[in-house]
Amino acid sequence: MGNISIINRKENISVECPFPPPETQKFRFIDLFAGIGGFRLAMQSIGGVCQFSSEWDRYAQITYEVNFGEAPEGDIRQISEKDIPDHDVLCAGFPCQPFSLAGVSARNSLNTAHGFACETQGTLFFEIARIVAEKRPKIVFLENVKNLVNHDKGHTFSVIKRTMEDLGYSFNYQLINAETEVPQKRVRCYIVCLRDTPEKFEFPEFTGESQPLKSILEDRVDSRFTISDKLWAGHQRRTTANLERGTGFTAFCADINKPANTLVARYGKDGKECLIPQKGKNPRMLTPRECANLQGFPKNFQIPVAKTSAYKQFGNSVALPVVKKIAEKIELYLLDETVKK
């Protein structure tokens, strides 16, 4: 994969796609572990133009291309940091993985080429760190599960924080529950790192009433989303057994007047995380479009894949309105002269 195919591919974006780049560019960003483009929707909404995207799941690539007119590059581990275009903001919703305790600390080894690899090599965060070290974006914007903060007794998070600080960035994070922005209880860890400044990033406030699940439900839903007698009986049987022993999953009908439980990638297997009650019938699963609604995606966001893949994609996605509000704050920092050019 050569530099030209990466840098110039934006010239071939279809103008007929639902979400083309903004006509006026305010800043440049890249979209790593891009999924179906939640970060991209947020950044484009404030004038960002995507210079590069990477996603290894082939079905997510299909959804991304249909909506943005270009397919992401594949496995970021196979792409040299020198081939990544220059950018102002690096965005990434990366997986949570443990780091090795072995090796010299990142703090003592950053003077050597890719010294931070001592603690991060072999993880997907390393892919972010090596690109940051090479390209020096003004801002790094990351999202992860809430457990990242306490993962591996806090070691994982401390390595990420130390690595970013040793690369010359202030490290700022906040656990944010999306339930005031979308009708689901979804707590995620958001990280914003500012280059060459001690200034702290001030996250926006997320206050107000929780949104009810009923606000995103469709009026007419095909009967194929109603779960079978066998599956519903199995859910009830395992729920009763697990409640008695005090461990394991439970499956109840959702209270549609409250936020849903967190939408997860495995939802398509049996729907136990969010079952919609139906009068005189077994409960049903959410439709893929309702899952899109639950994450705050626009109505014209296209879902070109089968429902099993769609459930996985939306379960892995970001809560779009949360990312948008943080992106709007990031825009202010990009305009601030304290974020050095």
Side-chain angles (χ1 to χ4, degrees):
M1 185 177 303
N3 292 6
I4 295 177
S5 65
I6 293 176
I7 295 174
N8 293 335
R9 67 198 182 103
K10 297 190 306 307
E11 296 176 1
N12 297 318
I13 292 176
S14 170
V15 294
E16 296 179 357
C17 68
F19 305 101
E23 293 184 4
T24 302
Q25 174 181 298
K26 292 184 179 179
F27 63 93
R28 305 159 300 166
F29 71 94
I30 65 171
D31 193 9
L32 304 182
F33 311 105
I36 56 175
F39 267 105
R40 182 166 180 156
L41 283 171
M43 302 308 277
Q44 286 191 172
S45 74
I46 58 168
V49 173
C50 188
Q51 306 297 300
F52 170 84
S53 59
S54 171
E55 169 55 48
W56 59 18
D57 184 275
R58 63 192 181 104
Y59 294 107
Q61 288 178 335
I62 291 171
T63 301
Y64 196 103
E65 183 173 15
V66 165
N67 283 282
F68 299 105
E70 59 176 1
E73 305 293 340
D75 190 346
I76 191 62
R77 296 173 297 180
Q78 305 303 315
I79 300 172
S80 169
E81 59 272 21
K82 296 185 184 300
D83 289 339
I84 305 294
D86 292 339
H87 52 280
D88 303 301
V89 184
L90 180 152
C91 302
F94 66 105
C96 179
Q97 297 172 291
F99 296 123
S100 171
L101 292 172
V104 181
S105 73
R107 182 176 301 279
N108 293 330
S109 59
L110 270 170
N111 290 329
T112 62
H114 300 311
F116 50 82
C118 292
E119 288 185 294
T120 66
Q121 183 77 59
T123 69
L124 293 174
F125 175 73
F126 168 74
E127 309 305 324
I128 295 171
R130 68 178 176 87
I131 293 170
V132 170
E134 173 68 26
K135 306 308 294 189
R136 305 288 297 158
K138 297 176 182 177
I139 295 178
V140 177
F141 182 15
L142 309 176
E143 182 262 2
N144 210 299
V145 296
K146 65 177 180 180
N147 186 51
L148 177 69
V149 177
N150 298 314
H151 186 257
D152 194 17
K153 299 180 180 179
H155 177 69
T156 300
F157 198 65
S158 67
V159 170
I160 291 173
K161 180 176 185 292
R162 184 167 65 247
T163 299
M164 293 307 302
E165 290 175 342
D166 288 341
L167 287 169
Y169 290 77
S170 67
F171 185 89
N172 313 274
Y173 82 97
Q174 190 165 310
L175 296 179
I176 297 172
N177 191 336
E179 66 181 356
T180 60
E181 307 299 314
V182 293
Q184 93 175 271
K185 293 176 282 188
R186 190 180 192 88
V187 181
R188 289 293 185 265
C189 179
Y190 294 90
I191 300 169
V192 177
C193 304
L194 308 177
R195 188 191 69 195
D196 297 334
T197 176
E199 184 177 6
K200 294 298 181 182
F201 179 80
E202 296 292 334
F203 284 89
E205 293 186 1
F206 293 88
T207 57
E209 296 293 323
S210 298
Q211 296 193 21
L213 174 57
K214 65 182 180 183
S215 65
I216 59 90
L217 298 180
E218 296 181 289
D219 294 330
R220 296 182 180 85
V221 174
D222 193 284
S223 61
R224 66 194 173 100
F225 293 100
T226 298
I227 66 174
S228 67
D229 291 342
K230 181 179 179 180
L231 180 56
W232 182 223
H235 278 335
Q236 292 174 306
R237 183 175 63 254
R238 286 187 291 273
T239 294
T240 299
N242 290 341
L243 286 173
E244 289 177 353
R245 66 193 185 106
T247 186
F249 85 83
T250 58
F252 298 100
C253 286
D255 183 343
I256 64 172
N257 294 305
K258 296 180 179 179
N261 291 327
T262 303
L263 184 65
V264 295
R266 68 162 305 284
Y267 179 73
K269 292 183 177 180
D270 54 27
K272 68 179 179 61
E273 292 82 10
C274 185
L275 293 171
I276 307 303
Q278 300 186 104
K279 187 175 181 180
K281 301 179 184 178
N282 293 343
R284 69 171 178 86
M285 294 176 61
L286 295 166
T287 68
R289 177 57 61 187
E290 288 172 333
C291 291
N293 296 343
L294 201 60
Q295 293 283 42
F297 278 71
K299 299 297 183 184
N300 62 331
F301 189 85
Q302 302 299 301
I303 307 175
V305 295
K307 64 187 177 89
T308 300
S309 294
Y311 285 135
K312 179 182 177 182
Q313 291 172 11
F314 288 112
N316 280 332
S317 183
V318 293
L320 182 56
V322 174
V323 178
K324 276 188 175 181
K325 286 186 73 169
I326 298 173
E328 289 166 358
K329 271 298 189 78
I330 284 175
E331 182 185 12
L332 299 178
Y333 281 81
L334 286 171
L335 297 174
D336 193 325
E337 62 181 12
T338 60
V339 180
K340 299 178 182 178
K341 296 183 179 179

